[in-house]
Amino acid sequence: MKKSIKLLLIIFLLINISFAYSQEDSNGDYLEFNDRKNIVHGVYLGFSASYGEIDGEDTGLIGLKLAYVANRKFEVGFGMKGFYSQQNLPGISISNDEDLIGGYAGMHLEPIFFSKSRINLSFPLLVGFGGVGYIDGQFSDDDEFNEDDYDWDAVFVAEPGINLLFNVSRFLQLEAGVKYRFSSKFNIHPNGIDRINGFSAGIGVKVGVFNLGRNRYKKKAPKE
């Protein structure tokens, strides 16, 4: 939990810096000679990697999402994540060293603020279903994997968060943020955990078509 609190403080510090940067970036003098407002549509494929915790133990997550961006202000699409948590739980298998693995997928929603700035603030939400199970933490290449030896259970997940979005170009966007994962209860083993709740912090990249808030009918005013 202490690691997650430190990560939260770092993210909020980045947010304060980004606000100052975006204000400086918007103070330039421009000459606007067409007041037509363009409705912008975008689409992207995103990849992310995160570090967090489940029941106080180290957890790594990877994510993938495909989303549509409506007028630079709202994203809607499909997201999925997989995770591996080093629980090192005894009493489940012969090795007495079981880790938790799983994944979940569902609808991705993300309202975006300050979308006309180079740095944006957003609040992503992933809501969906998945599965979790234990796997032998000492599993080696010589062992034969038999899924019948492992118990699995379904889980419902809601994962809200806060992100900073960095517009690199019309086709590339970077993100960094913190999320908290809520899950329904599951029952796999009496010695194991029954939820995958926990913080995570990570970075990601989005590749697609983006608009940086540039008005094609807007030019810098000539210097006197």
Side-chain angles (χ1 to χ4, degrees):
M1 181 62 69
K2 292 182 179 180
K3 293 180 181 179
S4 298
I5 293 175
K6 290 180 180 179
L7 290 171
L8 277 171
L9 292 175
I10 292 173
I11 294 297
F12 283 120
L13 179 61
L14 288 173
I15 291 173
N16 291 331
I17 295 174
S18 70
F19 285 159
Y21 176 83
S22 60
Q23 289 177 356
E24 291 178 1
D25 191 52
S26 61
N27 287 334
D29 295 328
Y30 290 90
L31 178 65
E32 190 168 322
F33 57 94
N34 190 309
D35 60 357
R36 186 175 73 179
K37 295 182 178 180
N38 298 316
I39 297 177
V40 179
H41 306 280
V43 64
Y44 73 84
L45 182 64
F47 306 89
S48 64
S50 307
Y51 166 82
E53 60 179 31
I54 295 177
D55 197 39
E57 301 296 337
D58 293 341
T59 302
L61 304 95
I62 56 174
L64 174 70
K65 57 186 173 182
L66 176 64
Y68 162 74
V69 186
N71 206 26
R72 300 166 294 170
K73 295 181 180 180
F74 192 79
E75 294 183 7
V76 59
F78 172 80
M80 58 186 300
K81 284 190 176 182
F83 66 86
Y84 187 100
S85 182
Q86 295 180 339
Q87 296 291 315
N88 301 320
L89 293 172
I92 297 180
S93 68
I94 297 177
S95 69
N96 281 323
D97 183 11
E98 291 294 301
D99 293 333
L100 189 69
I101 62 172
Y104 47 94
M107 179 175 290
H108 164 75
L109 304 171
E110 187 168 358
I112 303 170
F113 298 89
F114 314 108
S115 60
K116 293 185 178 181
S117 301
R118 184 169 293 274
I119 301 178
N120 313 144
L121 178 67
S122 68
F123 295 89
L125 172 65
L126 177 61
V127 180
F129 292 89
V132 296
Y134 290 107
I135 189 170
D136 191 342
Q138 298 181 11
F139 184 82
S140 66
D141 295 336
D142 297 332
D143 297 329
E144 182 179 352
F145 178 79
N146 185 355
E147 63 180 14
D148 294 334
D149 296 336
Y150 298 90
D151 292 326
W152 295 79
D153 203 354
V155 63
F156 170 80
V157 177
E159 189 175 46
I162 180 171
N163 270 352
L164 283 178
L165 308 177
F166 303 88
N167 296 300
V168 179
S169 72
R170 289 187 59 199
F171 311 103
L172 181 65
Q173 190 179 73
L174 303 179
E175 64 177 354
V178 174
K179 298 178 177 63
Y180 189 86
R181 185 177 49 261
F182 298 93
S183 82
S184 60
K185 282 189 175 183
F186 55 89
N187 185 15
I188 301 178
H189 194 278
N191 293 339
I193 61 176
D194 59 3
R195 295 182 188 270
I196 56 171
N197 295 359
F199 280 102
S200 65
I203 58 175
V205 58
K206 301 177 181 179
V207 180
V209 180
F210 300 95
N211 185 287
L212 304 182
R214 295 172 180 165
N215 189 338
R216 59 181 177 177
Y217 301 104
K218 189 175 181 182
K219 294 183 178 180
K220 281 193 174 183
K223 294 182 179 180
E224 296 181 357

